[in-house]
Amino acid sequence: MSVLRTRGLSVRVEARAVLVVLLLVAVALAVSVVLIGTGDYPLSPAEVTRTLTGGGTAAQEFIVNELRLPRVLVALLVGASLALSGAVFQSVSRNPLGSPDVLGLGQGSTVGALLVIVLFQGDQTAVAAGALAGGLLSGAAIYLLAWQKGVHGQRFVLVGIAMSAILVSVIGYLLTKADLTDAARATLWMVGSLNGRDWSQVWPLLCVCAVLVPVLLGQGRGLRMLEMGEDAAHALGVRVERTRLTALTCAVLLAAAATSAAGPIAFVALSAPQIARRLTRSPGPCLVASACTGAALLVTADWGAQRLFGADQLPVGVLTGMLGGCYLLWLLYAERKGGRL
């Protein structure tokens, strides 16, 4: 670890964390190039790179820039957004099982999307808006129900799990009331998929990330102090409730925006922050490393969903669900073995 000082400011730099972030960015970019070249019209990495820099043929530019690049960008942004959201939830709850899809945020977005599909037969834009609204309302409800002279980790997790159970029941009810066409459409959305994603999903999500990510990174020191306890954080000058509320608001918005763009993709928010923490061996939520881990995980999973099952291309949510379930079992075993569960 080293400290950089310039004009009265000091920034702590951890060499291992910087190296991990650079490697994760390299992996995410390399897999993205390979993923763009994957499909019925295959392109080599050199052709993809040449096309992205404006040197491809007209056909290559159409395939890369209009058909495949938006999907990859959505994967990167969704993965980073979910990972950041999961890092905040785990930091605030001080629980490695705390994540949006465990604590009811994903289920809230699903209810919002299903209401639009089942009751109003809305188009893709309306479904995305419903998912965003559902995620925000469920996040606000969890925070308010968990509030009692502040929000504490255990109560926050318990309220989130209870809210998740209620929302799962609502999802089941809405599916039973839908006709076959709407039920099939809703079920496909609930799996979580990047198929058919275009620039109309990229720009809104990019704008959300451009606004919220810097705000969230600015709360990194406060979140790190909060993990030592509220009294210690307050003694070190952290405005506890303000920091917690700002971070949770950003996390809820990021998770809801990611879900509205790609559906409820499972376990990225749960696993990415823990993987980042183990790779960097750094205290605190490791926000930058978590975002890079989430982006790399999701583009890699999307490549695997397209290439590892022969002619059948799975929605990426199916693959992340399978891998995430195995990871969750391992995490529960590790927590129990360590006497923390």
Side-chain angles (χ1 to χ4, degrees), residues 234-248:
H234 184 74
L236 291 170
V238 177
R239 296 182 179 181
V240 173
E241 284 307 320
R242 180 178 177 180
T243 299
R244 183 185 287 128
L245 180 59
T246 301
L248 284 176

Side-chain angles (χ1 to χ4, degrees), residues 125-331:
T125 301
V127 171
L132 182 62
L136 295 178
L137 290 175
S138 61
I142 293 169
Y143 187 86
L144 292 175
L145 290 173
W147 175 271
Q148 186 178 349
K149 297 180 181 179
V151 175
H152 301 283
Q154 185 176 2
R155 185 166 61 247
F156 186 76
V157 171
L158 291 175
V159 170
I161 292 174
M163 182 64 71
S164 176
I166 294 171
L167 293 173
V168 167
S169 299
V170 175
I171 292 170
Y173 173 79
L174 290 173
L175 288 176
T176 60
K177 292 298 181 181
D179 58 35
L180 288 177
T181 302
D182 289 338
R185 182 184 173 197
T187 302
L188 181 61
W189 187 89
M190 288 169 57
V191 171
S193 175
L194 295 169
N195 295 335
R197 296 302 179 263
D198 56 29
W199 291 104
S200 64
Q201 283 87 36
V202 174
W203 294 120
L205 187 55
L206 183 61
C207 291
V208 170
C209 290
V211 173
L212 296 180
V213 171
V215 176
L216 190 54
L217 293 179
Q219 305 301 314
R221 176 184 176 276
L223 289 173
R224 190 178 298 111
M225 298 300 103
L226 277 174
E227 291 192 357
M228 299 189 300
E230 292 187 10
D231 293 337
H234 184 74
L236 291 170
V238 177
R239 296 182 179 181
V240 173
E241 284 307 320
R242 180 178 177 180
T243 299
R244 183 185 287 128
L245 180 59
T246 301
L248 284 176
T249 300
C250 292
V252 169
L253 287 168
L254 285 170
T259 305
S260 69
I265 296 177
F267 289 110
V268 174
L270 177 69
S271 58
Q274 292 298 312
I275 294 173
R277 190 176 292 224
R278 284 168 169 78
L279 288 175
T280 60
R281 298 178 185 173
S282 299
C286 305
L287 295 177
V288 176
S290 295
C292 295
T293 303
L297 278 177
L298 195 53
V299 291
T300 303
D302 192 32
W303 177 85
Q306 292 187 50
R307 301 293 294 174
L308 299 181
F309 300 92
D312 298 324
Q313 292 190 12
L314 295 180
V316 67
V318 174
L319 186 58
T320 61
M322 290 189 296
L323 297 176
C326 296
Y327 172 80
L328 179 58
L329 290 174
W330 175 84
L331 182 61

